[in-house]
Amino acid sequence: MKTECSIVRDLLPLYVEDMVSAETAQYMREHLQTCTECKAELANLKEGTLLDTVEKNITQTDTEKPFKRMMQRMNRQFHMFAYSLIIFFIFLGFGWTEGENLMYNSIIMPIVGIFGYYVFRWKAIYKVPVLLLLIDLFIFLFQIVEIGFADTLGWTGLYCIFIWIGNIIAFLLHFAFRKEERE
Ligand SMILES: [Zn+2]
């Protein structure tokens, strides 16, 4: 290796970082124009710096991971909570069917629909009614509430409509919120 090349290579890291004097930079530029080997070395060095930056970015994402994981866990817990509420409200609501609190179901069932959308998204359209039917049949079979079979099916159908209304409300809110976020 020529002495000139040796000096230039030693200075390349500083040159890349723009930390050499104007005269040195001029001298190096002239050398790099004529020497392909040193030019290749410069390219390597620049690539290395680039790789370093990429690596740094990856490390940064790594530190964000625990936070993301925590958010996911919290989200899962909220889902579990909402899911329990759905079951609880269906039990409560259907239990009120033959009582004087019956009218509250026009509020409770849409709320079940809203939670249903939160947990199941569009699949709530059939998943919540299936859940409703199962719970209502369970209540009928064990006569937790004194109710006939035809009434059980009738009320289940009616509540289903209220649940779908809740689904639609939740969907519209979700849609509007997402649109707002994008703007
Ligand atoms: Zn050279």
Side-chain angles (χ1 to χ4, degrees):
M1 205 193 284
K2 284 189 287 183
T3 324
E4 213 178 320
C5 285
S6 171
I7 294 167
V8 166
R9 302 237 179 131
D10 282 346
L11 289 172
L12 271 180
L14 292 174
Y15 177 76
V16 169
E17 302 282 340
D18 217 6
M19 283 167 70
V20 290
S21 68
E23 289 94 352
T24 310
Q26 178 62 30
Y27 164 78
M28 288 179 75
R29 253 195 305 278
E30 275 164 20
H31 178 84
L32 287 166
Q33 266 162 15
T34 57
C35 177
T36 46
E37 281 167 60
C38 285
K39 208 173 175 178
E41 191 68 29
L42 174 69
N44 273 341
L45 203 67
K46 274 187 178 163
E47 208 170 297
T49 329
L50 212 68
L51 277 177
D52 272 357
T53 335
V54 172
E55 255 165 44
K56 241 182 243 161
N57 283 345
I58 289 169
T59 328
Q60 265 170 6
T61 328
D62 269 353
T63 56
E64 278 166 18
K65 259 185 194 162
F67 179 69
K68 213 173 170 185
R69 262 204 299 272
M70 196 184 79
M71 286 300 289
Q72 278 171 346
R73 203 179 309 137
M74 260 172 66
N75 213 13
R76 254 203 308 276
Q77 278 168 352
F78 273 126
H79 271 210
M80 282 306 293
F81 180 64
Y83 192 74
S84 322
L85 277 184
I86 289 170
I87 292 170
F88 173 73
F89 279 146
I90 290 175
F91 258 106
L92 187 73
F94 198 75
W96 281 347
T97 297
E98 298 288 84
E100 52 190 23
N101 289 328
L102 172 66
M103 285 314 289
Y104 287 123
N105 277 325
S106 59
I107 299 164
I108 282 184
M109 292 304 163
I111 290 174
V112 167
I114 290 171
F115 283 131
Y117 179 79
Y118 173 67
V119 175
F120 303 117
R121 286 292 182 263
W122 70 267
K123 286 179 182 163
I125 288 172
Y126 66 89
K127 283 198 172 177
V128 183
V130 166
L131 202 61
L132 174 77
L133 183 65
L134 288 177
I135 292 173
D136 292 356
L137 285 177
F138 177 84
I139 289 174
F140 161 73
L141 280 175
F142 290 90
Q143 285 293 299
I144 297 168
V145 178
E146 241 178 84
I147 194 166
F149 183 64
D151 280 347
T152 302
L153 291 186
W155 285 110
T156 301
L158 184 68
Y159 294 158
C160 190
I161 292 167
F162 280 100
I163 285 170
W164 282 334
I165 290 171
N167 287 162
I168 292 166
I169 292 170
F171 169 76
L172 290 177
L173 283 175
H174 185 209
F175 186 74
F177 184 69
R178 269 226 307 239
K179 208 175 161 192
E180 208 169 75
E181 229 175 26
R182 264 195 227 119
E183 275 164 6

